[in-house]
mmCIF file of all heavy atoms in Angstrom:
data_model
loop_
_atom_site.group_PDB
_atom_site.id
_atom_site.type_symbol
_atom_site.label_atom_id
_atom_site.label_comp_id
_atom_site.label_asym_id
_atom_site.label_seq_id
_atom_site.Cartn_x
_atom_site.Cartn_y
_atom_site.Cartn_z
ATOM 1 N N GLU A 157 29.993 5.792 7.807
ATOM 2 C CA GLU A 157 30.801 6.913 8.278
ATOM 3 C C GLU A 157 31.164 7.889 7.171
ATOM 4 O O GLU A 157 31.609 9.002 7.442
ATOM 5 C CB GLU A 157 32.072 6.393 8.959
ATOM 6 C CG GLU A 157 32.898 5.473 8.089
ATOM 7 C CD GLU A 157 33.938 4.711 8.881
ATOM 8 O OE1 GLU A 157 34.379 5.209 9.938
ATOM 9 O OE2 GLU A 157 34.341 3.607 8.435
ATOM 10 N N GLN A 158 30.991 7.484 5.914
ATOM 11 C CA GLN A 158 31.234 8.371 4.781
ATOM 12 C C GLN A 158 30.440 7.838 3.600
ATOM 13 O O GLN A 158 29.881 6.745 3.659
ATOM 14 C CB GLN A 158 32.720 8.419 4.444
ATOM 15 C CG GLN A 158 33.286 7.057 4.033
ATOM 16 C CD GLN A 158 34.777 7.078 3.863
ATOM 17 O OE1 GLN A 158 35.474 7.862 4.495
ATOM 18 N NE2 GLN A 158 35.287 6.216 2.983
ATOM 19 N N LEU A 159 30.372 8.637 2.513
ATOM 20 C CA LEU A 159 29.641 8.227 1.316
ATOM 21 C C LEU A 159 30.559 8.312 0.103
ATOM 22 O O LEU A 159 31.098 9.389 -0.175
ATOM 23 C CB LEU A 159 28.411 9.109 1.100
ATOM 24 C CG LEU A 159 27.351 9.091 2.203
ATOM 25 C CD1 LEU A 159 26.201 10.013 1.831
ATOM 26 C CD2 LEU A 159 26.847 7.685 2.474
ATOM 27 N N PRO A 160 30.731 7.209 -0.635
ATOM 28 C CA PRO A 160 30.291 5.854 -0.277
ATOM 29 C C PRO A 160 31.195 5.265 0.794
ATOM 30 O O PRO A 160 32.314 5.734 0.997
ATOM 31 C CB PRO A 160 30.410 5.093 -1.596
ATOM 32 C CG PRO A 160 31.532 5.781 -2.320
ATOM 33 C CD PRO A 160 31.413 7.241 -1.952
ATOM 34 N N ALA A 161 30.708 4.232 1.489
ATOM 35 C CA ALA A 161 31.417 3.661 2.633
ATOM 36 C C ALA A 161 31.909 2.261 2.323
ATOM 37 O O ALA A 161 31.212 1.476 1.671
ATOM 38 C CB ALA A 161 30.493 3.630 3.852
ATOM 39 N N ARG A 162 33.098 1.955 2.803
ATOM 40 C CA ARG A 162 33.695 0.636 2.623
ATOM 41 C C ARG A 162 33.336 -0.330 3.746
ATOM 42 O O ARG A 162 33.748 -1.486 3.739
ATOM 43 C CB ARG A 162 35.215 0.761 2.528
ATOM 44 C CG ARG A 162 35.696 1.340 1.211
ATOM 45 C CD ARG A 162 35.583 0.316 0.112
ATOM 46 N NE ARG A 162 36.058 0.806 -1.171
ATOM 47 C CZ ARG A 162 36.086 0.080 -2.283
ATOM 48 N NH1 ARG A 162 35.646 -1.171 -2.236
ATOM 49 N NH2 ARG A 162 36.517 0.584 -3.413
ATOM 50 N N ARG A 163 32.583 0.148 4.727
ATOM 51 C CA ARG A 163 32.118 -0.715 5.802
ATOM 52 C C ARG A 163 30.837 -0.139 6.367
ATOM 53 O O ARG A 163 30.569 1.054 6.253
ATOM 54 C CB ARG A 163 33.183 -0.858 6.890
ATOM 55 C CG ARG A 163 33.591 0.443 7.560
ATOM 56 C CD ARG A 163 34.679 0.210 8.585
ATOM 57 N NE ARG A 163 35.004 1.423 9.334
ATOM 58 C CZ ARG A 163 35.812 1.450 10.376
ATOM 59 N NH1 ARG A 163 36.387 0.336 10.803
ATOM 60 N NH2 ARG A 163 36.067 2.601 11.010
ATOM 61 N N VAL A 164 30.030 -1.008 6.972
ATOM 62 C CA VAL A 164 28.806 -0.583 7.637
ATOM 63 C C VAL A 164 28.932 -0.956 9.106
ATOM 64 O O VAL A 164 29.453 -2.023 9.454
ATOM 65 C CB VAL A 164 27.561 -1.238 6.991
ATOM 66 C CG1 VAL A 164 27.637 -2.761 7.027
ATOM 67 C CG2 VAL A 164 26.267 -0.762 7.679
ATOM 68 N N GLY A 165 28.489 -0.046 9.982
ATOM 69 C CA GLY A 165 28.573 -0.299 11.409
ATOM 70 C C GLY A 165 27.212 -0.627 11.995
ATOM 71 O O GLY A 165 26.192 -0.091 11.547
ATOM 72 N N VAL A 166 27.201 -1.495 12.986
ATOM 73 C CA VAL A 166 25.979 -1.813 13.719
ATOM 74 C C VAL A 166 26.212 -1.488 15.189
ATOM 75 O O VAL A 166 27.150 -1.999 15.804
ATOM 76 C CB VAL A 166 25.576 -3.288 13.558
ATOM 77 C CG1 VAL A 166 24.352 -3.602 14.425
ATOM 78 C CG2 VAL A 166 25.280 -3.609 12.103
ATOM 79 N N ILE A 167 25.370 -0.603 15.720
ATOM 80 C CA ILE A 167 25.402 -0.271 17.144
ATOM 81 C C ILE A 167 24.246 -1.030 17.772
ATOM 82 O O ILE A 167 23.081 -0.672 17.620
ATOM 83 C CB ILE A 167 25.250 1.249 17.363
ATOM 84 C CG1 ILE A 167 26.332 2.001 16.577
ATOM 85 C CG2 ILE A 167 25.331 1.598 18.844
ATOM 86 C CD1 ILE A 167 26.132 3.507 16.548
ATOM 87 N N ALA A 168 24.560 -2.132 18.446
ATOM 88 C CA ALA A 168 23.537 -3.057 18.926
ATOM 89 C C ALA A 168 23.016 -2.615 20.283
ATOM 90 O O ALA A 168 23.338 -3.184 21.315
ATOM 91 C CB ALA A 168 24.103 -4.463 18.995
ATOM 92 N N GLY A 169 22.201 -1.563 20.281
ATOM 93 C CA GLY A 169 21.691 -0.998 21.522
ATOM 94 C C GLY A 169 22.368 0.313 21.820
ATOM 95 O O GLY A 169 23.588 0.447 21.644
#
Side-chain angles (χ1 to χ4, degrees):
E157 55 194 333
Q158 62 187 28
L159 299 180
R162 286 285 181 179
R163 60 182 185 172
V164 58
V166 176
I167 304 171

